[in-house]
Amino acid sequence: MKLYSTLDKKIVEIVPNKEGCISMYSCGPTVYSRMHIGNIRAYIDWDILYRSFIYTGYKMNRVMNITDVGHMTSNDDFGSDFGDDKMDKQAEKEGVQPIDIANKYIDTVLEDFKRLHILAPNGEIIPDNLTYEDVENYGWTRATTYVPQMIEFIKKIIANGYTYETDQAVYFDVTLLPDYNIFTGQKLEDKEVGVRDEVEEDKGKKHPADFVLWMKRVGKYANHIMNWDSPWGNGFPGWHIECSAMSTDRLGEYFDIHTGGVDHISVHHSNERAQNIGAYGHPVVKYWIHNEWLVTKDDAKLSKSKGASDLDEIISSGFTPMDLRYFFLSVNYRVKLQFSIEALEGAKNARKSLEDKIISLKEYKDGKVLESYKERFIENINNNLNMSGCLALVNELLKSTEKPEDILATLLDWDKVFGFGWEELLNTQTNEFIYCEGDNVELDTLIKERIEAKSNKDYAKADKIRNKITDLGYTITDTPDGVKVTKI
Ligand code: AMP
Ligand code: ZN
């Protein structure tokens, strides 16, 4: 498979460390609120990647973290370490403990993932009854579970001489890593602009781009609720160390793919890479893969503060989770995608018309997967996840003169990658029969012509007629009892 590697700055062939097996770490949710549709884009993109690797024959060893401590409100833009802890802030707002906030929003992640057909990181379909209590059995790692590993990781970085300690924190000294800014090519001095304010918070901090590995429970954080003892005093881990410690604990000191949004390139992933080299003396991640943003009409990253909707809000606007899945899936992960209700309407209509065509094939059983189409499908996947190419192939196949049962079998096979749940759709589809001969003369004629075409084995003609019937607003299905016509 070929993917865009951010470090290589080009599309590269993915060659895993262990043949036939991909180890993959995905930066996961910070659980202080319900996911918004920007986050959902990221998770759908990586779900498609996961499914694509499985489909093309790889074994997967995948982990996704859950950040339930240490992610500061100011970490995202310029990397400042001295904001409020997102968990603490929300806990205060809701009048509960941070751990209750974490557990509550982990459950909403599970609920949303399930509705969106996003697989658990270990590849399983998320069971109905899965709660925060069992997520770690499904490939998620919770930061609060891995604090001992984070402490050990920091000890390694200290032993290798990349750190210094102040009254407030243990820092990674970025000036000691010559290629610290390899991702962005940015000069270290340019980083000073965004984080200047923070220098005021800790007079002992040497360089504005240095970042916290361990925050002490002093000063501003004297009352930080979640805290652990460490060789550097009681406190809590920095956000970036969480991902380094969890990923290497679970996937080893060499793993293949690390995913995240492009917002993570300049700070979070630059820092993770620095920590990895600081601890192990070599880079750990072979390929860093990033998804582009879902943006507003003004091209700004959609975020909670920009009023991004969550899945419930999308549903109450008249869409289904699969409309959203189709919307994200139809665009390559590296393309900025503008969100608007009109754009989502377009996805909804396209998805629905596709589904209707599939439903109309419902009664065609026991087909075989068409290998030549499958080959082309895989070519599209391997070409940097060309999902619009895959969808174009779906339409081409539906218009083809292949046997309907083979078309259906092939589409159901491809749905292992798309994840729309077509098989289930066919099993639960209960449109009642509503058409009676004589209701519509044009339709009567088309139905008769189609029956005739099929008895002459002229499937191309039969399919053309089916399209005309669809245009009239009906779905025609062949059943053992004859044709059934339902209103779309
Ligand atoms: P967070 O919970 O803020 O750490 O974000 C979780 C994931 O969602 C990260 O990988 C982010 O890069 C990604 N993300 C956040 N906002 C957007 C957006 N507007 N478009 C695409 N991905 C996003
Ligand atoms: Zn991360």
Side-chain angles (χ1 to χ4, degrees), residues 25 27 65 239 243 258 268-269 272:
Y25 181 88
C27 273
N65 71 295
W239 175 38
C243 283
H258 193 310
H268 184 47
H269 291 168
E272 252 189 87

Side-chain angles (χ1 to χ4, degrees), residues 34-35 37 40-41 44 47-48 110-118 310-330 339 344 347-348 351-352 355 418-421:
R34 195 156 205 139
M35 291 191 294
I37 50 176
I40 291 174
R41 176 179 188 188
I44 287 185
D47 185 58
I48 298 294
L110 295 174
E111 191 190 329
D112 290 352
F113 269 34
K114 181 149 185 71
R115 289 191 288 176
L116 290 156
H117 298 177
I118 297 173
D310 61 29
L311 185 58
D312 278 344
E313 288 161 344
I314 291 291
I315 291 171
S316 35
S317 308
F319 298 98
T320 67
M322 287 308 102
D323 294 335
L324 204 55
R325 189 170 177 98
Y326 188 98
F327 182 50
F328 294 146
L329 181 147
S330 56
F339 180 77
L344 193 54
K348 175 182 177 164
R351 184 200 54 79
K352 200 165 173 312
E355 247 177 31
F418 294 138
F420 290 126

Side-chain angles (χ1 to χ4, degrees), residues 27-30 36 38-39 41-43 71 76 86 239 260-264 291-294 301-303:
C27 273
T30 304
H36 60 73
N39 305 135
R41 176 179 188 188
Y43 300 124
H71 192 167
D76 302 327
K86 290 182 177 185
W239 175 38
V262 289
D263 48 328
H264 286 164
N291 65 280
E292 253 301 347
W293 286 337
L294 183 66
K301 177 189 164 199
L302 253 178
S303 61

Side-chain angles (χ1 to χ4, degrees), residues 12 54 62 98 106 109 141 163 192 205 262 283 287 291 341 400:
V12 299
I54 294 280
R62 184 188 184 199
I106 289 172
V109 167
T141 54
T163 63
E192 297 184 13
K205 186 171 171 179
V262 289
Y287 307 103
N291 65 280
I341 290 293
S400 75

